[in-house]
Amino acid sequence: MEILPASMFVPVALGFFGLATGYLIYGPQELFGYPPRDRNVDRSNGVWGIWMPGFCQFLVGLYLFVGLTWFEVFTTNKTLYMAALAFSAYGIHWFAMGWIRLQGSDARPNGYMSIPFVLLGILGMLVFFRAGDWPLGLLFTGLTLVYVAEFFASFNIGGRPAHDGHGPLNPGQKVLGLLHILVGLWLLYLTFAATLNLSSGTHLPA
């Protein structure tokens, strides 16, 4: 099969935007407790989790793997293999996370899920910092911290149930919400930077 010419139009901005949207929906609720979680709110958040961070990232990961292997249009940048792995894995994981929230299922197994995703984040840090790509290295640093916080939040380590007129306290969830917001904002920056660099010839770090 004839090899197609290399393409500069790597669709990573869609994955960045999808994950940013998911983080900026979940994060404020986790940090500030608004809107308060109930069955209807969980159903809404579940749908958003499946489609934005889930489908957007999975689509980009699949697109990158096909472009790297079948059509060989992205092979000039080998770090895109790490990007394809991460977008695919995070996308599929968000299908599960969104479905769990949508169905009102027990979230405690998410704590065990977070362990391999911490390792995936560390792998991304190694790949991108070694390649000199500090904006993506910083992103994977944030993602690693997200899943460390997810472990504590899922098992409510250091928290307390509601009692004596006080509401439940889950400090891991508060930290997770803050990290979701901060990493979500960084993802929005990366969305802008990647899009402007390709479409308008800017040279923003991305």
Side-chain angles (χ1 to χ4, degrees), residues 18-34:
L19 184 55
T21 302
Y23 275 11
L24 293 174
I25 291 172
Y26 279 63
Q29 185 187 49
E30 292 160 341
L31 182 59
F32 303 115
Y34 184 83

Side-chain angles (χ1 to χ4, degrees), residues 139-204:
L139 171 62
F140 276 91
T141 302
L143 293 173
T144 300
L145 294 174
V146 162
Y147 289 98
V148 171
E150 180 75 55
F151 180 85
F152 285 87
S154 296
F155 294 123
N156 195 14
I157 296 173
R160 65 157 193 255
H163 69 286
D164 297 332
H166 298 285
L169 174 66
N170 186 336
Q173 187 175 69
K174 298 296 185 184
V175 174
L176 179 61
L178 176 61
L179 288 168
H180 274 156
I181 293 170
L182 294 176
V183 177
L185 292 173
W186 185 244
L187 284 159
L188 280 183
Y189 162 76
L190 291 174
T191 302
F192 272 74
T195 303
L196 289 172
N197 288 350
L198 280 175
S199 64
S200 300
T202 59
H203 300 283
L204 296 170

Side-chain angles (χ1 to χ4, degrees), residues 97 107-116 118 147-155:
M97 294 281 281
R108 286 176 295 178
N110 294 348
Y112 295 121
M113 169 279 299
S114 67
I115 297 171
V118 167
Y147 289 98
V148 171
E150 180 75 55
F151 180 85
F152 285 87
S154 296
F155 294 123

Side-chain angles (χ1 to χ4, degrees), residues 4-87:
L4 298 174
S7 174
M8 61 185 293
F9 294 102
V10 183
V12 293
L14 177 62
F16 293 151
F17 183 74
L19 184 55
T21 302
Y23 275 11
L24 293 174
I25 291 172
Y26 279 63
Q29 185 187 49
E30 292 160 341
L31 182 59
F32 303 115
Y34 184 83
R37 284 188 62 176
D38 59 27
R39 189 71 192 94
N40 289 329
V41 170
D42 279 357
R43 275 198 287 259
S44 295
N45 281 359
V47 171
W48 281 115
I50 290 169
W51 284 105
M52 291 306 296
F55 184 73
C56 288
Q57 288 192 101
F58 176 71
L59 180 63
V60 172
L62 182 63
Y63 197 106
L64 289 177
F65 270 130
V66 169
L68 285 165
T69 57
W70 292 357
F71 298 109
E72 301 182 36
V73 293
F74 301 136
T75 53
T76 56
N77 184 352
K78 293 183 179 180
T79 62
L80 287 176
Y81 186 82
M82 179 67 224
L85 169 62
F87 279 125

